[in-house]
Amino acid sequence: MLYHRAVDPAVVTNFQRGHPDAVREVYDTFGRLVYTVANRILNNRSLAEEATQQTFVQAWRGAASFDPNRELGPWLATIARRVAIDIHRREARRPTVPIDSVSPTDRTLVALPPSAEQTYEVWQVREAIDSLPPDEREIVRLQHLGELTQGEIAVKLDIPLGTVKSRSHRAHKSLAIRLGHLRAGGEPE
Amino acid sequence: MDGEDEVIDYLSGEVTDHALDPLLAADLDDLNALLADPALWDDPAGDLRERVVLAVEAEVGASAAPPVAVVATADSAAPGRRSTPRKKRWAAWLGPGLIGAAAAGLIAFAVTRSTDDGSQRASDGTIELHGTDLLPQVSGKAEVTSLQSGLWIQFDVPGMPRREGDDFYQAWLRSADGKLLVPIGSFHEGDHVSLWAGVSIEDFPILTVTKETAAAPDSPDQGSSGEVVVRGQYDEP
């Protein structure tokens, strides 16, 4: 099982017709993932939101060619990647700051756009993060994004260290299982 | 799993010394790098959902026979071209979804489609826009479209110097008597900006853009700075 989010084929059919409620349902299911893919490429919230909007518009334009029985997620991820790359190229043609003032580690300066594989890896990881219970998600966020130790997290959240350890273990076990198929030789659970 | 607890401990950063297979450790490092990326944790603005709905709605309304874009092409959906065995396993995993997407793109064909009610939603009109003394060299237009959910204003004034960081442009609709002001969106630069308003263009026909700087919620600097850089007025067709 690949844990892909999915919507009912009837919703896809209504999306093809441009029904607002179907667009909302598709957005509710995939919007955050589309945004994450775009944000990963563009590293800019405003542009990522623009890319998300364009992705859904382009998806509607192309929806007539889409088989409602196929998975919508990978298709949207592909569109999101291309839209974000187009926006990235557009923005790259408009340098607004002297090159000397750009950090050498600025992603827009040093990174190539992610491949389709990397794009879908981002999609999968975000999906796995979102699947965690809020208390476990917060622990993982503080560990990885906040770079805090478990002891520091216990102090920050004012909870026992043992609780942090158990939540962290559960959360990372869940991530390892859900994302095991991303690893070398890993098979989907 | 290669020592489940060991994998979990490695993933959570709780071990520095391990006996994991180097390839597995490298994959877990990749995963850890993603988990540390702010982009993976960021959420879009809450109103993006309705902006998406409105954008699709506008697209549906604006085109009785929309072009069917080939949105998934071979280059974007050919993960199996990677050379290492490790990535070939990736390809096997990706197969059904993205290969399907490629097929969908390659066999795309033009169709004719109408809106649900068979109608076409056209622009209500265009506002000619000009730079003020603060930005005299720019000009452009804004296309105004009334949708059920609100007023969609496609603003396009090329050449406005980019403002970013705490600085930005703010667009407004002003009532004809000048007494009422409605914010309709902020942006970095004036090329192809979508603005939205919850008032009628007939009642609020004056479009202005001001230079603004972010301020605290209770700051007296909230509201228009008064530094209008672009102005135009809607005239009923």
Side-chain angles (χ1 to χ4, degrees):
Chain A
M1 183 174 177
L2 294 179
Y3 296 98
H4 290 152
R5 291 184 191 183
V7 292
D8 192 278
V11 173
V12 178
T13 301
N14 284 331
F15 178 81
Q16 290 172 327
R17 294 171 180 156
H19 285 181
D21 285 344
V23 176
R24 287 189 183 93
E25 185 160 350
V26 173
Y27 179 87
D28 289 344
T29 307
F30 299 110
R32 194 181 293 177
L33 300 175
V34 166
Y35 171 80
T36 299
V37 165
N39 201 16
R40 168 80 174 158
I41 293 170
L42 293 162
N43 197 26
N44 178 299
R45 296 195 72 199
S46 173
L47 294 176
E49 290 182 357
E50 178 188 345
T52 303
Q53 192 167 314
Q54 282 189 30
T55 296
F56 278 86
V57 169
Q58 287 202 19
W60 175 77
R61 285 181 187 152
S65 66
F66 185 78
D67 178 355
N69 294 308
R70 289 189 183 278
E71 290 178 12
L72 196 56
W75 187 63
L76 284 172
T78 303
I79 299 171
R81 172 178 171 271
R82 294 197 56 183
V83 167
I85 289 172
D86 285 347
I87 290 176
H88 182 272
R89 287 174 178 154
R90 182 194 76 195
E91 293 299 307
R93 286 196 293 269
R94 298 177 184 168
T96 55
V97 292
I99 193 73
D100 291 342
S101 66
V102 178
S103 162
T105 58
D106 189 309
R107 187 185 300 151
T108 59
L109 184 68
V110 300
L112 294 172
S115 66
E117 294 167 15
Q118 291 165 329
T119 296
Y120 210 51
E121 185 175 15
V122 168
W123 181 285
Q124 290 277 299
V125 173
R126 178 61 195 247
E127 203 169 25
I129 288 172
D130 287 349
S131 74
L132 295 173
D135 56 351
E136 294 178 17
R137 186 176 189 272
E138 180 62 3
I139 298 287
V140 174
R141 190 183 72 82
L142 290 172
Q143 279 183 288
H144 292 274
L145 186 63
E147 297 181 338
L148 299 185
T149 65
Q150 292 183 340
E152 290 168 333
I153 293 170
V155 171
K156 182 178 178 66
L157 299 182
D158 194 22
I159 57 177
L161 177 59
T163 304
V164 174
K165 286 180 179 293
S166 60
R167 287 180 188 171
S168 172
H169 186 83
R170 275 199 306 273
H172 286 95
K173 182 176 182 178
S174 175
L175 291 174
I177 291 172
R178 290 192 68 129
L179 300 171
H181 58 285
L182 304 187
R183 303 197 327 257
E187 296 297 333
E189 297 287 331
Chain B
M1 192 176 281
D2 187 291
E4 181 180 283
D5 284 338
E6 200 169 7
V7 168
I8 293 168
D9 287 344
Y10 189 86
L11 198 54
S12 62
E14 292 304 306
V15 292
T16 53
D17 190 23
H18 65 86
L20 293 175
D21 173 85
L23 267 182
L24 174 58
D27 280 339
L28 293 173
D29 287 342
D30 290 346
L31 180 53
N32 272 327
L34 279 180
L35 288 170
D37 188 329
L40 271 286
W41 295 91
D42 191 29
D43 287 331
D47 68 345
L48 181 60
R49 180 184 193 243
E50 284 310 302
R51 280 151 54 197
V52 164
V53 170
L54 287 169
V56 173
E57 191 181 24
E59 191 76 9
V60 172
S63 176
V68 178
V70 180
V71 290
T73 57
D75 79 302
S76 64
R81 291 180 186 165
R82 302 296 287 261
S83 58
T84 66
R86 176 182 170 200
K87 294 304 179 186
K88 283 179 181 173
R89 280 188 281 265
W90 253 108
W93 168 68
L94 284 166
L98 289 185
I99 291 172
L106 292 171
I107 63 170
F109 55 92
V111 298
T112 299
R113 176 167 45 187
S114 61
T115 59
D116 289 343
D117 59 4
S119 65
Q120 214 170 336
R121 192 173 278 120
S123 158
D124 293 341
T126 300
I127 303 174
E128 297 295 329
L129 297 165
H130 300 282
T132 65
D133 291 345
L134 294 177
L135 212 56
Q137 75 277 19
V138 303
S139 64
K141 64 179 181 179
E143 194 169 316
V144 180
T145 306
S146 292
L147 303 173
Q148 185 174 354
S149 310
L151 197 64
W152 181 30
I153 301 168
Q154 295 169 274
F155 176 99
D156 189 26
V157 178
M160 295 175 68
R162 186 175 179 86
R163 291 173 66 79
E164 55 190 348
D166 288 343
D167 297 329
F168 56 91
Y169 292 108
Q170 173 72 48
W172 311 84
L173 283 183
R174 185 181 288 272
S175 59
D177 62 8
K179 293 179 178 175
L180 299 175
L181 196 59
V182 175
I184 58 173
S186 59
F187 51 92
H188 294 306
E189 51 190 47
D191 300 51
H192 307 298
V193 180
S194 280
L195 304 169
W196 298 93
V199 294
S200 80
I201 194 65
E202 289 79 12
D203 294 338
F204 289 79
I206 301 168
L207 195 161
T208 60
V209 175
T210 55
K211 293 198 296 186
E212 304 291 344
T213 298
D218 56 352
S219 166
D221 290 333
Q222 283 292 350
S224 172
S225 67
E227 293 183 88
V228 177
V229 294
V230 169
R231 184 192 302 274
Q233 179 152 0
Y234 174 78
D235 293 316
E236 291 188 42

